[in-house]
Amino acid sequence: MNSGHNRVNIIFDPAYLNGHDGLINMTYYEALSGCDLGVFQSYYEPWGYTPLESVAYAVPTITTDQAGFGLWVQQTAGEGDGVMLLKRKGVKINFIEENLYTLFKDFLSWSDTEMAERRKGARRLALKANWKDFFKFYLKAYDKAIAVSLERAEKLTLIDYRVERKYVFAGAVSTQPHFRAFTAVVNLPLKIERLRELAYNLWWTWHPKARSLYISLDPKLWQEMGNNPVRMLETISPEKLLEATENTSYMTQYTQIIQQFDEYMNNRMPNEKVQVSPAIKWSSPIAYFSAEYGLHEIIPIYSGGLGTLSGDHLKTASDLNIPLVGIGLLYKNGYFRQVIDKNGYQVAEYPESDFSVMPVQILRDDAGNEVQIYLELPGRTLYANIWEVKIGRVSLYLINTDVLGNTLQDRKITERLYPAD
């Protein structure tokens, strides 16, 4: 944010800066270095990478006493100078707004000399935030986690899991109907039947030509379906599909994309630029755990930076051929959808996701039964289904507790991402 002294107010989204529509060819850090004030008033930020980036580029920065970076500044360097601290902890929203307004008002009164001093202060603070000093705390945390996991593993070796639990329920005459859920899928023409296979592999999310196979079928319908190829294939008219099979240009493109996809999937050689331990292979891959994954908007199980980072890790692992599986949760409602009411206040809506039209598939055994895991809790057993998301060569397994056999309360465990309480 730039303002005052003939400076111009500019706020850019980092993704927009990289040549979006050919309008701007500027990197995020190039734009950041030209700013006069960074404002990161987030309610929740465990560390705060973005405010640290801001001060690293000598930009005076506003952070909060709820961000890890803000707490570090408060405890280590003291607020002021190049970093201003917005008090949010235990403060009512109207006072927070007033405090932020005061910080802005003070900023607009800075002279060029004071601005230069504030920039120097921000840079001095960034030099103190050295990851060589912070990294030891990560190692300490990992050591604790490993110790706990080893202790848990020793306890598990004392439990005999070979006995399979089976529950038998006697049948009874009933006048009530018995319902079974099933999913009907549209039959695709044989020539383009692999469109469904491709739709269920998120490889298409970072390959524009693969997306064009769906867009060109019906651009308007693609938008109506929220850029979701799975949902689109179940909605599009048979006439449109048949028309595509008779279009030479479309079929040439289809053949090329499918061939490219097959070559990608069949190549399991590690990238020569990556050094991977011999102990890590596809039969014993890395297990990557995250509370959220930002893969595409049609799988709403993410809210921000952590999810985007986790999703990019999986896509990169696929491209680099690093043996890895992701583990996470499949939220029924996911993160809230923001709506602003007539008074200007945020209203949180939690629309339910329909897994049947998402590129996720429930895991089944050889007999076609749903694979479940269970956890013994006090007085009850918690069951969970496992859903798979294919991301190129990598698989992401998502756990969901909204299954029959669980209590109503337990079925809601995987209902929402980051509830307020």
Side-chain angles (χ1 to χ4, degrees):
M1 171 180 176
N2 293 352
S3 96
H5 304 286
N6 296 319
R7 292 184 287 265
V8 182
N9 256 321
I10 302 176
I11 298 178
F12 284 126
D13 179 275
Y16 185 81
L17 294 169
N18 290 313
H20 179 77
D21 288 337
L23 297 177
I24 297 176
N25 187 17
M26 183 186 293
T27 68
Y28 167 61
Y29 294 110
E30 287 172 338
L32 181 61
S33 62
C35 291
D36 292 320
L37 182 68
V39 184
F40 305 93
Q41 73 277 26
S42 300
Y43 178 82
Y44 164 77
E45 191 155 10
W47 165 239
Y49 295 96
T50 39
L52 177 53
E53 287 178 333
S54 185
V55 296
Y57 279 81
V59 178
T61 298
I62 296 175
T63 184
T64 80
D65 61 352
Q66 285 190 312
F69 178 69
L71 293 174
W72 176 81
V73 170
Q74 192 175 38
Q75 297 167 5
T76 307
E79 57 182 297
D81 203 5
V83 174
M84 290 71 73
L85 207 63
L86 177 65
K87 303 296 193 301
R88 293 207 60 158
K89 193 176 295 183
V91 181
K92 292 183 178 179
I93 185 65
N94 56 320
F95 291 112
I96 297 173
E97 293 170 351
E98 187 66 30
N99 292 338
L100 186 57
Y101 167 78
T102 301
L103 289 171
F104 283 148
K105 187 177 179 181
D106 179 58
F107 160 70
L108 292 171
S109 69
W110 294 352
S111 64
D112 288 341
T113 301
E114 186 172 4
M115 169 62 76
E117 289 301 315
R118 295 275 188 166
R119 282 187 174 277
K120 291 178 182 177
R123 181 60 184 169
R124 282 195 299 269
L125 187 63
L127 293 175
K128 293 181 181 180
N130 194 321
W131 280 103
K132 290 181 180 179
D133 297 326
F134 295 155
F135 190 66
K136 61 185 178 183
F137 297 110
Y138 281 84
L139 295 178
K140 186 176 180 180
Y142 288 141
D143 287 341
K144 286 187 176 181
I146 290 172
V148 172
S149 66
L150 290 175
E151 182 181 348
R152 183 169 62 246
E154 289 178 2
K155 292 180 180 179
L156 291 175
T157 57
L158 303 176
I159 303 175
D160 188 358
Y161 287 101
R162 291 173 298 177
V163 180
E164 181 181 358
R165 298 185 174 210
K166 292 186 177 181
Y167 300 90
V168 179
F169 299 92
V173 177
S174 173
T175 59
Q176 299 297 319
H178 177 69
F179 295 99
R180 287 183 64 92
F182 66 94
T183 301
V185 296
V186 174
N187 286 326
L188 299 178
L190 187 61
K191 289 183 178 180
I192 55 173
E193 64 177 352
R194 294 191 65 190
L195 282 177
R196 178 170 285 113
E197 176 190 350
L198 190 60
Y200 275 94
N201 191 313
L202 295 185
W203 179 82
W204 60 263
T205 63
W206 73 98
H207 289 82
K209 290 184 178 180
R211 287 198 299 276
S212 68
L213 287 179
Y214 303 98
I215 299 172
S216 59
L217 288 173
D218 191 332
K220 184 179 178 181
L221 182 63
W222 172 259
Q223 290 187 341
E224 291 175 353
M225 296 298 102
N227 304 338
N228 182 344
V230 174
R231 189 178 171 201
M232 182 181 186
L233 291 179
E234 302 309 321
T235 309
I236 193 169
S237 68
E239 290 77 17
K240 290 277 187 182
L241 295 173
L242 187 60
E243 182 182 330
T245 64
E246 297 172 351
N247 185 312
T248 304
S249 176
Y250 181 86
M251 290 306 301
T252 299
Q253 184 182 17
Y254 170 84
T255 302
Q256 291 174 346
I257 295 300
I258 293 298
Q259 182 179 352
Q260 183 183 352
F261 175 67
D262 286 340
E263 290 174 354
Y264 179 92
M265 294 298 294
N266 293 331
N267 179 12
R268 291 287 175 163
M269 295 297 293
N271 189 292
E272 59 183 15
K273 298 179 180 179
V274 180
Q275 297 295 324
V276 179
S277 167
I280 299 171
K281 43 187 179 290
W282 288 106
S283 59
S284 55
I286 301 165
Y288 183 103
F289 291 79
S290 181
E292 52 173 307
Y293 289 90
L295 300 161
H296 193 268
E297 67 260 26
I298 60 175
I299 307 182
I301 58 172
Y302 65 99
S303 69
L306 171 64
T308 303
L309 183 68
S310 301
D312 284 351
H313 277 166
L314 299 192
K315 293 173 183 177
T316 302
S318 174
D319 280 348
L320 296 179
N321 243 326
I322 298 174
L324 180 145
V325 293
I327 309 293
L329 299 174
L330 183 58
Y331 304 99
K332 183 66 175 177
N333 299 100
Y335 200 62
F336 69 82
R337 179 179 298 166
Q338 184 189 59
V339 178
I340 306 299
D341 68 12
K342 63 181 181 180
N343 297 315
Y345 290 103
Q346 173 181 280
V347 177
E349 294 184 347
Y350 288 90
E352 284 195 357
S353 296
D354 183 357
F355 300 156
S356 68
V357 291
M358 290 167 55
V360 300
Q361 293 179 302
I362 197 165
L363 281 191
R364 298 181 181 276
D365 59 21
D366 294 338
N369 300 313
E370 296 175 357
V371 175
Q372 288 188 338
I373 59 172
Y374 65 89
L375 179 67
E376 296 294 347
L377 297 177
R380 68 194 192 282
T381 302
L382 173 70
Y383 297 93
N385 284 336
I386 306 171
W387 296 73
E388 182 181 11
V389 184
K390 295 182 183 297
I391 305 143
R393 304 176 179 113
V394 168
S395 286
L396 168 63
Y397 296 102
L398 300 172
I399 300 168
N400 178 269
T401 63
D402 185 22
V403 298
L404 294 175
N406 286 339
T407 65
L408 183 61
Q409 183 178 6
D410 285 346
R411 294 182 72 164
K412 292 183 177 181
I413 289 175
T414 55
E415 185 178 48
R416 294 182 180 180
L417 170 65
Y418 303 151
D421 56 358

